[in-house]
Coordinates of all heavy atoms in Angstrom, one line a residue:
M1 N -22.9 35.9 -22.0 CA -23.3 34.7 -22.6 C -24.8 34.4 -22.3 O -25.1 34.4 -21.0 CB -22.3 33.5 -22.3 CG -22.2 32.6 -23.5 SD -21.6 30.9 -23.0 CE -20.0 31.3 -22.5
S2 N -25.6 34.2 -23.0 CA -27.0 34.0 -22.8 C -27.4 32.5 -23.2 O -27.1 32.1 -24.4 CB -27.9 34.9 -23.4 OG -29.2 34.5 -23.5
L3 N -28.2 31.8 -22.4 CA -28.6 30.5 -22.6 C -29.8 30.5 -23.8 O -30.1 29.6 -24.3 CB -29.3 29.8 -21.4 CG -28.1 29.3 -20.5 CD1 -28.8 28.7 -19.3 CD2 -27.3 28.3 -21.1
K4 N -30.3 31.8 -24.0 CA -31.3 31.9 -25.1 C -30.7 31.4 -26.4 O -31.5 31.1 -27.3 CB -31.7 33.4 -25.2 CG -32.9 33.8 -24.4 CD -33.4 35.1 -24.8 CE -34.3 35.5 -23.8 NZ -34.5 37.0 -23.8
R5 N -29.4 31.6 -26.6 CA -28.8 31.3 -27.9 C -28.7 29.8 -28.0 O -28.3 29.3 -29.0 CB -27.5 32.0 -28.0 CG -27.5 33.5 -28.0 CD -28.3 34.0 -29.2 NE -27.7 33.6 -30.5 CZ -28.4 33.6 -31.7 NH1 -29.7 33.9 -31.6 NH2 -27.8 33.2 -32.7
F6 N -29.0 29.1 -27.1 CA -28.8 27.6 -27.1 C -29.8 27.0 -28.1 O -30.9 27.5 -28.3 CB -29.2 26.9 -25.8 CG -28.1 25.9 -25.4 CD1 -27.5 25.9 -24.2 CD2 -27.9 24.8 -26.3 CE1 -26.5 24.9 -24.0 CE2 -27.0 23.8 -26.0 CZ -26.2 23.9 -24.8
N7 N -29.3 25.9 -28.9 CA -30.1 25.5 -30.0 C -31.3 24.6 -30.0 O -31.5 23.8 -30.8 CB -29.1 24.8 -31.0 CG -28.0 25.8 -31.6 OD1 -28.2 26.9 -31.6 ND2 -26.9 25.2 -32.0
F8 N -32.0 24.7 -28.7 CA -33.0 23.8 -28.5 C -34.1 23.6 -29.6 O -34.6 22.7 -29.9 CB -33.7 24.0 -27.2 CG -32.8 23.5 -26.0 CD1 -32.6 24.4 -24.9 CD2 -32.3 22.2 -26.1 CE1 -31.6 23.9 -23.8 CE2 -31.5 21.7 -25.0 CZ -31.2 22.5 -24.0
D9 N -34.4 24.9 -30.1 CA -35.5 24.8 -31.1 C -34.9 24.9 -32.5 O -35.7 25.4 -33.4 CB -36.7 25.8 -30.8 CG -36.1 27.1 -30.5 OD1 -34.9 27.4 -30.7 OD2 -36.9 28.0 -29.8
E10 N -33.8 24.6 -32.7 CA -33.2 24.5 -34.1 C -34.1 23.4 -34.8 O -34.2 22.3 -34.3 CB -31.8 24.1 -33.8 CG -31.0 24.2 -35.1 CD -30.5 25.7 -35.3 OE1 -30.3 26.4 -34.2 OE2 -30.2 26.1 -36.4
P11 N -34.5 23.7 -36.1 CA -35.2 22.7 -36.7 C -34.2 21.5 -37.1 O -33.1 21.6 -37.3 CB -35.4 23.4 -38.1 CG -35.3 24.9 -37.8 CD -34.3 25.0 -36.6
E12 N -34.8 20.3 -36.8 CA -34.1 19.0 -36.9 C -33.4 19.0 -38.3 O -32.3 18.4 -38.3 CB -35.2 17.9 -36.9 CG -34.5 16.5 -36.9 CD -33.9 16.1 -35.6 OE1 -34.1 16.9 -34.6 OE2 -33.3 15.0 -35.5
S13 N -34.0 19.5 -39.3 CA -33.4 19.3 -40.7 C -32.0 20.1 -40.9 O -31.3 19.9 -41.6 CB -34.4 19.9 -41.7 OG -34.6 21.2 -41.4
N14 N -31.9 21.0 -39.8 CA -30.6 21.7 -39.9 C -29.5 20.8 -39.4 O -28.2 21.1 -39.8 CB -30.6 22.9 -39.0 CG -31.1 24.1 -39.7 OD1 -31.6 24.0 -40.8 ND2 -31.0 25.3 -39.1
L15 N -29.7 19.8 -38.8 CA -28.6 18.9 -38.4 C -28.3 17.9 -39.5 O -29.1 17.0 -39.8 CB -29.0 18.1 -37.1 CG -28.0 17.3 -36.5 CD1 -26.9 17.9 -36.0 CD2 -28.6 16.4 -35.4
R16 N -27.3 18.0 -40.0 CA -26.9 17.1 -41.2 C -25.9 16.0 -40.7 O -25.2 16.2 -39.8 CB -26.2 18.0 -42.3 CG -27.0 19.1 -42.8 CD -26.4 19.8 -43.9 NE -25.9 19.0 -44.9 CZ -24.7 19.0 -45.4 NH1 -23.7 19.8 -44.9 NH2 -24.4 18.1 -46.3
R17 N -26.2 14.9 -41.3 CA -25.5 13.7 -40.9 C -24.8 13.0 -42.2 O -25.3 13.1 -43.2 CB -26.4 12.7 -40.2 CG -26.8 13.2 -38.8 CD -27.5 12.2 -38.0 NE -27.8 12.6 -36.7 CZ -27.0 12.5 -35.7 NH1 -25.8 12.0 -35.9 NH2 -27.3 13.0 -34.5
C18 N -23.7 12.4 -41.9 CA -23.1 11.7 -42.9 C -23.9 10.6 -43.5 O -24.6 9.9 -42.6 CB -21.8 11.0 -42.4 SG -21.0 9.9 -43.5
E19 N -24.1 10.6 -44.9 CA -24.9 9.6 -45.5 C -24.5 8.2 -45.3 O -25.3 7.3 -45.3 CB -25.0 9.9 -47.0 CG -25.9 10.9 -47.3 CD -26.0 11.1 -48.8 OE1 -25.4 10.5 -49.5 OE2 -26.8 12.0 -49.1
K20 N -23.2 8.0 -44.9 CA -22.8 6.7 -44.8 C -22.7 6.1 -43.4 O -23.1 5.0 -43.0 CB -21.3 6.6 -45.4 CG -21.4 6.7 -47.0 CD -20.1 6.1 -47.5 CE -20.2 5.9 -49.0 NZ -19.0 5.4 -49.7
C21 N -22.0 7.0 -42.4 CA -21.8 6.4 -41.1 C -22.8 7.1 -40.0 O -22.9 6.8 -38.9 CB -20.5 6.6 -40.7 SG -20.0 8.3 -40.4
G22 N -23.6 8.2 -40.6 CA -24.4 8.9 -39.7 C -23.9 9.9 -38.6 O -24.6 10.4 -37.9
K23 N -22.6 10.0 -38.7 CA -21.9 11.0 -37.9 C -22.4 12.5 -38.3 O -22.7 12.8 -39.4 CB -20.4 10.9 -38.2 CG -19.5 11.5 -37.0 CD -18.0 11.2 -37.3 CE -17.4 12.4 -38.0 NZ -16.0 12.2 -38.3
A24 N -22.6 13.3 -37.2 CA -23.1 14.6 -37.5 C -22.0 15.4 -38.2 O -20.8 15.3 -37.8 CB -23.4 15.3 -36.1
L25 N -22.5 16.2 -39.1 CA -21.5 16.9 -39.8 C -21.6 18.4 -39.5 O -22.6 18.9 -39.1 CB -21.9 16.9 -41.5 CG -21.9 15.5 -42.1 CD1 -22.4 15.6 -43.5 CD2 -20.5 15.0 -42.1
P26 N -20.5 19.1 -39.6 CA -20.3 20.5 -39.2 C -21.4 21.2 -40.2 O -21.6 20.7 -41.4 CB -19.1 20.9 -39.6 CG -18.2 19.7 -39.5 CD -19.2 18.5 -40.0
R27 N -22.1 22.1 -39.7 CA -23.1 22.9 -40.4 C -22.7 23.4 -41.8 O -23.4 23.2 -42.6 CB -23.7 24.0 -39.6 CG -24.8 24.7 -40.4 CD -25.8 25.2 -39.5 NE -26.0 24.3 -38.2 CZ -26.6 24.6 -37.2 NH1 -27.3 25.9 -37.2 NH2 -26.8 23.9 -36.1
R28 N -21.5 23.9 -41.8 CA -21.0 24.4 -43.0 C -20.3 23.5 -43.9 O -19.9 23.8 -45.1 CB -20.0 25.8 -42.7 CG -20.6 26.9 -42.2 CD -19.8 27.8 -41.6 NE -20.4 29.0 -41.2 CZ -20.4 30.1 -42.0 NH1 -19.9 30.0 -43.2 NH2 -21.1 31.1 -41.7
Y29 N -20.3 22.3 -43.5 CA -19.7 21.3 -44.4 C -20.5 21.1 -45.7 O -21.6 21.0 -45.6 CB -19.6 20.1 -43.6 CG -18.6 19.0 -44.0 CD1 -17.3 19.2 -43.8 CD2 -19.0 17.7 -44.5 CE1 -16.3 18.3 -44.2 CE2 -17.9 16.8 -45.0 CZ -16.7 17.2 -44.8 OH -15.7 16.2 -45.1
I30 N -19.8 21.1 -46.9 CA -20.5 21.1 -48.0 C -20.8 19.7 -48.7 O -21.5 19.6 -49.6 CB -19.7 21.9 -49.2 CG1 -18.3 21.4 -49.4 CG2 -19.7 23.4 -48.8 CD1 -17.8 22.0 -50.5
Y31 N -20.3 18.7 -48.1 CA -20.4 17.3 -48.6 C -21.5 16.5 -47.9 O -21.7 16.9 -46.7 CB -19.1 16.6 -48.4 CG -18.0 17.3 -49.2 CD1 -16.9 17.8 -48.5 CD2 -17.9 17.3 -50.7 CE1 -15.8 18.5 -49.1 CE2 -16.9 18.0 -51.3 CZ -15.9 18.6 -50.6 OH -14.9 19.3 -51.1
D32 N -22.0 15.6 -48.5 CA -23.0 14.7 -47.9 C -22.4 13.6 -46.9 O -23.1 13.0 -46.3 CB -23.9 14.1 -49.0 CG -24.6 15.1 -49.6 OD1 -25.0 16.1 -49.0 OD2 -25.0 14.9 -50.9
I33 N -21.1 13.3 -47.1 CA -20.5 12.4 -46.3 C -19.4 13.0 -45.6 O -18.8 14.0 -45.9 CB -20.1 11.1 -47.2 CG1 -19.1 11.5 -48.2 CG2 -21.2 10.4 -47.7 CD1 -18.6 10.3 -49.0
C34 N -19.0 12.4 -44.4 CA -17.9 13.0 -43.6 C -16.6 12.8 -44.2 O -16.5 11.9 -45.1 CB -18.0 12.4 -42.1 SG -17.5 10.8 -42.0
E35 N -15.7 13.5 -43.7 CA -14.3 13.3 -44.3 C -13.8 11.9 -44.2 O -13.1 11.5 -45.2 CB -13.4 14.2 -43.6 CG -12.1 14.6 -44.3 CD -11.2 15.6 -43.3 OE1 -11.6 16.0 -42.3 OE2 -10.1 15.9 -43.9
Q36 N -14.0 11.2 -43.2 CA -13.5 9.9 -43.1 C -14.1 9.0 -44.1 O -13.4 8.2 -44.8 CB -13.9 9.3 -41.6 CG -13.3 7.9 -41.3 CD -11.7 8.0 -41.4 OE1 -11.2 8.8 -40.9 NE2 -11.2 7.0 -42.3
C37 N -15.5 9.0 -44.3 CA -16.1 8.3 -45.3 C -15.6 8.6 -46.7 O -15.5 7.9 -47.6 CB -17.7 8.3 -45.2 SG -18.3 7.5 -43.7
E38 N -15.5 9.9 -46.9 CA -15.1 10.4 -48.2 C -13.7 9.8 -48.5 O -13.5 9.3 -49.7 CB -14.9 11.9 -48.1 CG -15.1 12.5 -49.5 CD -14.5 13.9 -49.6 OE1 -14.5 14.6 -48.6 OE2 -14.0 14.3 -50.6
H39 N -12.8 9.8 -47.5 CA -11.4 9.2 -47.7 C -11.5 7.8 -48.0 O -10.9 7.2 -48.8 CB -10.6 9.4 -46.5 CG -9.9 10.9 -46.6 ND1 -9.1 11.3 -45.7 CD2 -10.2 11.8 -47.5 CE1 -8.6 12.5 -46.1 NE2 -9.4 12.9 -47.1
D40 N -12.4 6.9 -47.2 CA -12.6 5.7 -47.4 C -13.0 5.3 -48.8 O -12.6 4.4 -49.4 CB -13.6 5.1 -46.4 CG -13.0 5.0 -45.0 OD1 -11.9 5.1 -44.9 OD2 -13.9 4.7 -44.0
A41 N -14.0 6.1 -49.3 CA -14.5 5.9 -50.7 C -13.3 6.2 -51.6 O -13.2 5.5 -52.7 CB -15.6 6.8 -50.9
M42 N -12.5 7.1 -51.4 CA -11.5 7.6 -52.3 C -10.4 6.6 -52.3 O -9.7 6.3 -53.4 CB -11.0 8.9 -51.8 CG -10.5 9.7 -53.0 SD -10.0 11.3 -52.6 CE -11.5 12.3 -53.0
Y43 N -10.1 5.9 -51.1 CA -9.1 4.8 -51.2 C -9.3 3.9 -52.3 O -8.4 3.6 -53.0 CB -9.0 4.0 -49.9 CG -8.7 4.8 -48.7 CD1 -9.4 4.4 -47.4 CD2 -7.7 5.7 -48.7 CE1 -9.0 5.0 -46.3 CE2 -7.4 6.4 -47.5 CZ -8.0 6.1 -46.3 OH -7.7 6.7 -45.1
K44 N -10.5 3.5 -52.5 CA -10.7 2.5 -53.5 C -10.4 2.9 -54.8 O -9.9 2.2 -55.6 CB -12.3 2.1 -53.4 CG -12.6 1.2 -52.2 CD -14.1 0.8 -52.3 CE -14.5 0.5 -50.9 NZ -15.9 0.8 -50.6
D45 N -10.8 4.2 -55.1 CA -10.5 4.7 -56.5 C -9.1 5.0 -56.7 O -8.5 4.6 -57.7 CB -11.2 6.3 -56.6 CG -12.8 6.0 -56.6 OD1 -13.3 4.9 -56.9 OD2 -13.4 7.1 -56.4
V46 N -8.4 5.4 -55.6 CA -7.0 5.7 -55.8 C -6.3 4.3 -55.9 O -5.4 4.2 -56.8 CB -6.5 6.4 -54.5 CG1 -5.0 6.5 -54.5 CG2 -7.1 7.7 -54.4
K47 N -6.7 3.3 -55.2 CA -6.2 2.0 -55.4 C -6.2 1.5 -56.7 O -5.4 0.9 -57.3 CB -6.9 1.0 -54.4 CG -5.9 0.3 -53.3 CD -6.8 -0.7 -52.5 CE -6.4 -0.7 -51.1 NZ -7.2 -1.5 -50.2
E48 N -7.4 1.6 -57.2 CA -7.7 1.1 -58.6 C -6.9 1.9 -59.6 O -6.3 1.2 -60.5 CB -9.3 1.4 -58.8 CG -9.9 0.1 -59.5 CD -11.4 0.3 -59.7 OE1 -11.7 1.2 -60.6 OE2 -12.2 0.1 -58.8
Y49 N -6.8 3.1 -59.4 CA -6.0 4.0 -60.3 C -4.6 3.6 -60.3 O -4.0 3.4 -61.4 CB -6.2 5.4 -59.9 CG -5.6 6.4 -60.8 CD1 -6.0 6.6 -62.1 CD2 -4.4 7.1 -60.4 CE1 -5.4 7.6 -62.9 CE2 -3.8 7.9 -61.2 CZ -4.4 8.2 -62.5 OH -3.6 9.1 -63.4
I50 N -4.1 3.3 -59.1 CA -2.7 2.9 -59.1 C -2.5 1.5 -59.7 O -1.5 1.2 -60.4 CB -2.2 2.8 -57.6 CG1 -2.2 4.2 -57.0 CG2 -0.9 2.1 -57.4 CD1 -1.8 4.3 -55.5
M51 N -3.5 0.5 -59.5 CA -3.3 -0.7 -60.2 C -3.4 -0.8 -61.6 O -2.7 -1.3 -62.3 CB -4.4 -1.5 -59.6 CG -4.1 -2.2 -58.2 SD -5.2 -3.6 -57.7 CE -6.8 -3.0 -58.0
K52 N -4.3 0.2 -62.1 CA -4.4 0.3 -63.6 C -3.4 1.1 -64.3 O -3.2 0.9 -65.6 CB -5.8 0.9 -63.9 CG -6.9 -0.1 -63.7 CD -8.3 0.5 -64.0 CE -9.4 -0.3 -63.7 NZ -10.7 0.4 -63.8
N53 N -2.8 2.0 -63.6 CA -1.8 2.9 -64.2 C -0.4 2.8 -63.5 O -0.3 2.7 -62.4 CB -2.3 4.3 -64.2 CG -3.6 4.5 -64.8 OD1 -3.9 4.5 -66.0 ND2 -4.7 4.5 -63.9
N54 N 0.5 2.9 -64.3 CA 1.8 2.9 -63.8 C 2.2 4.4 -63.4 O 2.9 5.2 -64.3 CB 2.8 2.4 -64.8 CG 4.3 2.2 -64.2 OD1 4.5 2.1 -63.0 ND2 5.3 2.2 -65.0
V55 N 1.8 4.8 -62.2 CA 1.9 6.3 -61.9 C 2.8 6.4 -60.6 O 2.9 5.6 -59.8 CB 0.6 6.9 -61.7 CG1 -0.2 7.1 -63.1 CG2 -0.2 6.1 -60.7
T56 N 3.3 7.7 -60.5 CA 4.0 8.0 -59.3 C 3.0 8.5 -58.3 O 1.9 8.9 -58.5 CB 5.0 9.0 -59.6 OG1 4.4 10.3 -60.1 CG2 6.0 8.6 -60.7
E57 N 3.5 8.7 -57.0 CA 2.7 9.2 -56.0 C 2.3 10.7 -56.4 O 1.2 11.1 -56.1 CB 3.5 9.4 -54.6 CG 3.9 8.0 -54.1 CD 4.9 8.2 -53.1 OE1 5.3 9.3 -52.6 OE2 5.4 7.0 -52.6
L58 N 3.2 11.3 -57.0 CA 2.8 12.7 -57.3 C 1.7 12.8 -58.3 O 0.8 13.6 -58.4 CB 4.1 13.5 -58.0 CG 4.0 15.0 -58.1 CD1 3.8 15.7 -56.8 CD2 5.3 15.5 -58.7
E59 N 1.7 11.8 -59.4 CA 0.7 11.8 -60.4 C -0.6 11.4 -59.8 O -1.6 11.9 -60.2 CB 1.2 10.8 -61.4 CG 2.2 11.3 -62.5 CD 2.8 10.4 -63.4 OE1 2.8 9.2 -62.9 OE2 3.1 10.7 -64.4
V60 N -0.5 10.5 -58.8 CA -1.8 10.1 -58.1 C -2.4 11.3 -57.5 O -3.6 11.6 -57.6 CB -1.6 9.0 -57.1 CG1 -2.8 8.7 -56.3 CG2 -1.1 7.8 -57.8
A61 N -1.6 12.0 -56.7 CA -2.0 13.2 -55.9 C -2.6 14.2 -56.8 O -3.7 14.8 -56.6 CB -0.9 13.9 -55.2
D62 N -1.9 14.4 -58.1 CA -2.4 15.4 -59.1 C -3.7 14.9 -59.6 O -4.7 15.7 -59.7 CB -1.4 15.4 -60.2 CG -1.0 16.7 -60.6 OD1 -0.7 17.5 -59.6 OD2 -0.8 17.1 -61.9
H63 N -3.9 13.6 -59.9 CA -5.2 13.2 -60.5 C -6.3 13.3 -59.7 O -7.4 13.6 -60.1 CB -4.9 11.7 -60.9 CG -6.0 11.1 -61.6 ND1 -6.3 11.2 -62.8 CD2 -7.1 10.2 -61.1 CE1 -7.4 10.5 -63.2 NE2 -7.9 10.1 -62.1
F64 N -6.1 13.1 -58.3 CA -7.3 13.1 -57.3 C -7.3 14.4 -56.6 O -8.2 14.6 -55.7 CB -7.1 11.9 -56.4 CG -7.5 10.6 -57.0 CD1 -6.5 9.9 -57.5 CD2 -8.7 10.2 -57.1 CE1 -6.7 8.6 -58.1 CE2 -9.0 9.0 -57.7 CZ -8.0 8.3 -58.2
H65 N -6.5 15.5 -57.0 CA -6.4 16.8 -56.4 C -6.3 16.6 -54.9 O -6.9 17.3 -54.1 CB -7.7 17.5 -56.8 CG -7.9 17.6 -58.3 ND1 -7.1 18.5 -59.1 CD2 -8.8 17.0 -59.0 CE1 -7.6 18.3 -60.4 NE2 -8.6 17.5 -60.3
L66 N -5.4 15.8 -54.5 CA -5.1 15.6 -53.1 C -3.6 16.1 -52.9 O -2.8 15.9 -53.7 CB -5.2 14.0 -52.8 CG -6.6 13.5 -52.8 CD1 -6.6 12.0 -52.7 CD2 -7.4 14.1 -51.5
P67 N -3.4 16.5 -51.7 CA -2.1 16.8 -51.3 C -1.2 15.6 -51.3 O -1.6 14.5 -51.0 CB -2.1 17.3 -49.9 CG -3.6 17.5 -49.6 CD -4.3 16.7 -50.5
L68 N 0.0 15.8 -51.8 CA 1.1 14.7 -51.9 C 1.1 13.8 -50.6 O 1.2 12.6 -50.4 CB 2.3 15.0 -52.4 CG 3.4 14.0 -52.6 CD1 2.9 12.8 -53.5 CD2 4.7 14.5 -53.0
E69 N 1.1 14.7 -49.4 CA 1.2 14.2 -48.2 C 0.1 13.2 -47.8 O 0.3 12.2 -47.0 CB 1.2 15.2 -47.0 CG 2.3 16.3 -47.2 CD 1.8 17.5 -48.1 OE1 0.9 18.2 -47.7 OE2 2.2 17.5 -49.3
T70 N -1.1 13.4 -48.3 CA -2.2 12.6 -48.1 C -2.0 11.2 -48.7 O -2.1 10.1 -48.0 CB -3.5 13.2 -48.6 OG1 -3.6 14.5 -48.1 CG2 -4.7 12.4 -48.3
I71 N -1.6 11.3 -49.9 CA -1.1 10.0 -50.6 C -0.1 9.2 -49.7 O -0.2 7.9 -49.5 CB -0.7 10.2 -52.0 CG1 -1.8 11.1 -52.8 CG2 -0.4 8.9 -52.7 CD1 -3.0 10.3 -53.1
Q72 N 0.9 10.0 -49.4 CA 2.0 9.3 -48.7 C 1.5 8.7 -47.4 O 2.0 7.7 -46.9 CB 3.1 10.2 -48.6 CG 3.8 10.6 -49.9 CD 4.9 11.7 -49.9 OE1 4.7 12.5 -49.0 NE2 5.7 11.7 -50.7
R73 N 0.6 9.5 -46.7 CA 0.1 9.1 -45.4 C -0.7 7.8 -45.6 O -0.6 6.8 -44.9 CB -0.7 10.1 -44.8 CG -1.0 10.0 -43.3 CD -1.8 11.0 -42.6 NE -3.2 11.0 -43.2 CZ -3.7 12.2 -43.5 NH1 -3.2 13.2 -43.5 NH2 -4.9 12.0 -43.9
W74 N -1.5 7.7 -46.6 CA -2.4 6.4 -46.9 C -1.5 5.3 -47.1 O -1.7 4.2 -46.7 CB -3.2 6.7 -48.1 CG -4.3 7.7 -47.8 CD1 -4.7 8.3 -46.5 CD2 -5.3 8.2 -48.7 NE1 -5.7 9.0 -46.7 CE2 -6.2 9.0 -48.0 CE3 -5.6 7.9 -50.0 CZ2 -7.2 9.8 -48.7 CZ3 -6.6 8.6 -50.7 CH2 -7.5 9.4 -49.9
I75 N -0.4 5.5 -47.8 CA 0.5 4.5 -48.1 C 1.2 4.0 -46.8 O 1.2 2.7 -46.5 CB 1.6 5.0 -49.1 CG1 1.0 5.2 -50.5 CG2 2.6 3.9 -49.3 CD1 1.8 6.0 -51.4
K76 N 1.7 5.0 -46.1 CA 2.3 4.7 -44.7 C 1.3 3.9 -43.8 O 1.8 3.1 -43.1 CB 2.7 6.1 -44.1 CG 3.9 5.9 -43.2 CD 4.4 7.3 -42.9 CE 4.9 7.4 -41.4 NZ 5.0 8.7 -41.0
E77 N 0.1 4.4 -43.8 CA -0.8 3.8 -42.9 C -1.3 2.4 -43.5 O -2.1 1.8 -42.9 CB -2.0 4.7 -42.7 CG -1.7 5.8 -41.9 CD -2.8 6.8 -41.9 OE1 -3.8 6.7 -42.6 OE2 -2.7 7.9 -41.0
G78 N -0.9 2.1 -44.6 CA -1.3 0.8 -45.2 C -2.6 0.8 -46.0 O -3.1 -0.4 -46.3
H79 N -3.2 1.9 -46.2 CA -4.5 1.9 -46.9 C -4.3 1.7 -48.5 O -5.0 1.3 -49.1 CB -5.1 3.4 -46.8 CG -5.5 3.7 -45.4 ND1 -6.5 2.9 -44.7 CD2 -5.1 4.6 -44.5 CE1 -6.7 3.4 -43.4 NE2 -5.9 4.4 -43.4
L80 N -3.1 2.1 -48.9 CA -2.6 1.8 -50.2 C -1.5 1.0 -50.3 O -0.5 1.2 -49.5 CB -2.3 3.2 -51.0 CG -3.6 4.1 -51.1 CD1 -3.0 5.5 -51.7 CD2 -4.7 3.7 -51.8
S81 N -1.4 0.1 -51.2 CA 0.0 -0.6 -51.4 C 0.3 0.0 -52.7 O -0.3 -0.1 -53.7 CB -0.3 -2.2 -51.4 OG -1.3 -2.4 -52.3
Y82 N 1.5 0.4 -52.7 CA 2.2 1.0 -53.8 C 3.5 0.4 -54.2 O 4.2 0.2 -53.3 CB 2.4 2.6 -53.5 CG 2.6 3.4 -54.7 CD1 1.5 3.9 -55.3 CD2 3.8 3.6 -55.3 CE1 1.6 4.8 -56.3 CE2 3.9 4.4 -56.4 CZ 2.8 5.0 -56.9 OH 3.0 5.7 -58.0
K83 N 3.4 0.1 -55.5 CA 4.7 -0.6 -56.1 C 5.6 0.5 -56.4 O 5.3 1.3 -57.3 CB 4.3 -1.5 -57.3 CG 4.7 -2.8 -57.0 CD 4.5 -3.7 -58.2 CE 3.5 -3.3 -59.3 NZ 3.2 -4.3 -60.2
K84 N 6.7 0.5 -55.8 CA 7.7 1.5 -56.2 C 8.6 0.9 -57.1 O 9.1 -0.2 -57.0 CB 8.4 2.1 -55.1 CG 7.7 3.1 -54.2 CD 8.6 3.8 -53.2 CE 7.6 4.9 -52.6 NZ 8.4 5.7 -51.6
N85 N 9.1 1.8 -58.2 CA 10.0 1.2 -59.2 C 11.4 1.2 -58.6 O 11.9 2.2 -57.9 CB 10.1 2.1 -60.4 CG 8.7 2.0 -61.1 OD1 8.1 1.0 -61.0 ND2 8.4 3.0 -61.9
Ligands
ZN101 ZN1 -19.1 9.2 -42.4

């Protein structure tokens, strides 16, 4: 292992940060905001979608291309309030 490889003279512009919270993003991360902020932003959309439409968890997951477990976790964690039939 060589210290030469340490990133001291890495151009500053290579360090990407979340546009919302400023958290450093992994270099290969393709989004401009971190996962947490992305989810935060998505909660709102999902919430609205659920309010406007009479949909099941599965339909919500489908619509937002999210794993069903994610939707269920959000509901469980109280991020979403979901009216069950
Ligand atoms: Zn963020």
